[in-house]
């Protein structure tokens, strides 16, 4: 999967992509990520990317021209859909991650700031609008990282155990429910014990217990 991230703050991604599973996925070339800084596409000497909203109201909006030119350049190399992260989008779920990962080899992730972006960019250049939840953040960068994380971990070779994502919450194996409680060594900690059935070695009983404890 190739991600192109359009953002005013590409540095925000560095730490999250430099460790653990995502770093390994990049090293293994399971994913590639490039960044375009929207501010690099401004045409004024101050690098202005925002302005006041027509009709008045609080806050600023990201203006058309830098976004338009940035998206155009992104689309020259990345033939995937333009995904705008916004509270007004369709809620991102495990199914969304699976579908996007299955349907596309490339994605362009557009991260908004301020109060958002001019509607004309949304109407003419955005293909998919996605929200990570019913709350308002300061920017679309965290939602973009969430998308990259959730999609990448589904790519074969990304996780140590190939099957682990098949037994995730919301997976078909769990009928879309949230997964059962998990326990690991020691069997007793501070007087708190692991359910006996999980120590029994009786796989049928363990399976039944786990199914009963899906949420
Ligand atoms: C958001 C969300 C989100 C809104 C204003 C960025 C912010 C700022 N994106 N799911 N919830 N975006 O809050 O995706 O432009």
């Amino acid at each position: 999967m190739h991600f192109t991230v359009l953002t005013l703050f590409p540095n925000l991604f560095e730490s999250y992509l430099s460790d653990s599973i995502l770093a390994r996925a990049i090293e293994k070339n399971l994913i590639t990520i490039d960044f375009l800084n929207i501010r690099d596409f401004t045409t004024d000497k101050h690098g202005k990317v925002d302005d006041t909203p027509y009709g008045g109201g609080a806050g600023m909006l990201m203006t058309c021209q830098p976004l338009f030119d940035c998206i155009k350049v992104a689309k020259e190399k990345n033939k995937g859909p333009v995904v705008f992260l916004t509270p007004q989008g369709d809620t991102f779920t495990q199914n969304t991650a699976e579908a996007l990962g299955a349907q596309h080899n490339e994605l362009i992730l557009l991260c908004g700031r301020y109060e958002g972006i001019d509607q004309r960019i949304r109407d003419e250049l955005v293909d998919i609008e996605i929200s990570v939840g019913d709350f308002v953040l300061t920017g679309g960068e965290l939602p973009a990282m969430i998308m990259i994380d959730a999609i990448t971990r589904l790519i074969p070779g990304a996780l140590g155990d190939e099957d682990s994502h098949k037994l995730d919450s919301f997976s078909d194996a769990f009928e879309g429910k949230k997964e059962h409680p998990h326990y690991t060594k020691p069997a007793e900690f501070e007087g708190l014990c692991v359910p006996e059935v999980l120590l029994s070695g009786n796989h049928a009983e363990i399976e039944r217990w786990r199914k009963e404890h899906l949420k």
Side-chain angles (χ1 to χ4, degrees):
M1 174 67 79
H2 175 54
F3 298 96
T4 301
V5 180
L6 314 184
T7 172
L8 290 171
F9 302 101
N11 294 344
L12 290 178
F13 292 79
E14 274 173 29
S15 171
Y16 199 68
L17 298 175
S18 60
D19 261 322
S20 188
I21 287 170
L22 291 183
R24 276 209 303 279
I26 292 170
E27 283 160 21
K28 292 159 76 173
N29 209 29
L30 298 176
I31 63 169
T32 54
I33 309 177
D34 61 21
F35 297 88
L36 292 177
N37 188 328
I38 298 164
R39 197 176 301 280
D40 292 344
F41 293 83
T42 55
T43 53
D44 71 301
K45 63 182 177 181
H46 301 295
K48 187 170 172 52
V49 292
D50 63 318
D51 213 325
T52 54
Y54 280 118
M60 305 291 272
L61 280 174
M62 295 179 76
T63 56
C64 286
Q65 178 273 316
L67 288 168
F68 182 89
D69 291 344
C70 181
I71 293 169
K72 285 293 181 192
V73 167
K75 289 167 84 81
E76 285 167 7
K77 284 196 289 185
N78 187 317
K79 303 307 177 188
V82 176
V83 180
F84 175 47
L85 288 309
T86 170
Q88 291 85 25
D90 295 326
T91 302
F92 186 68
T93 66
Q94 189 69 14
N95 285 338
T96 320
E98 288 168 359
L100 288 174
Q103 293 163 14
H104 303 288
N105 294 320
E106 300 182 287
L107 291 171
I108 298 173
L109 305 181
L110 172 56
C111 305
R113 282 272 159 171
Y114 310 101
E115 295 304 307
I117 69 176
D118 189 292
Q119 186 62 34
R120 287 165 288 188
I121 296 296
R122 296 172 74 165
D123 292 342
E124 298 305 317
L125 292 176
V126 169
D127 300 300
I128 305 170
E129 296 196 344
I130 283 180
S131 169
V132 293
D134 291 342
F135 42 80
V136 181
L137 302 167
T138 56
E141 285 77 13
L142 269 178
M145 279 186 255
I146 286 168
M147 280 191 67
I148 291 170
D149 189 303
I151 292 169
T152 298
R153 64 185 295 280
L154 298 174
I155 297 172
L159 298 178
D161 174 349
E162 282 314 301
D163 291 332
S164 59
H165 73 75
K166 292 171 189 164
L167 293 175
D168 274 346
S169 291
F170 316 111
S171 64
D172 294 344
F174 291 149
E175 302 145 12
K177 295 177 184 171
K178 295 170 186 171
E179 62 187 302
H180 50 74
H182 292 281
Y183 299 83
T184 186
K185 302 179 185 64
E188 180 177 339
F189 177 73
E190 297 285 315
L192 302 169
C193 298
V194 171
E196 277 301 320
V197 63
L198 299 180
L199 309 176
S200 67
N202 181 330
H203 295 292
E205 281 301 305
I206 291 168
E207 197 64 30
R208 192 172 60 76
W209 182 90
R210 285 178 166 172
K211 210 169 176 81
E212 280 173 3
H213 287 76
L214 293 174
K215 294 189 180 119

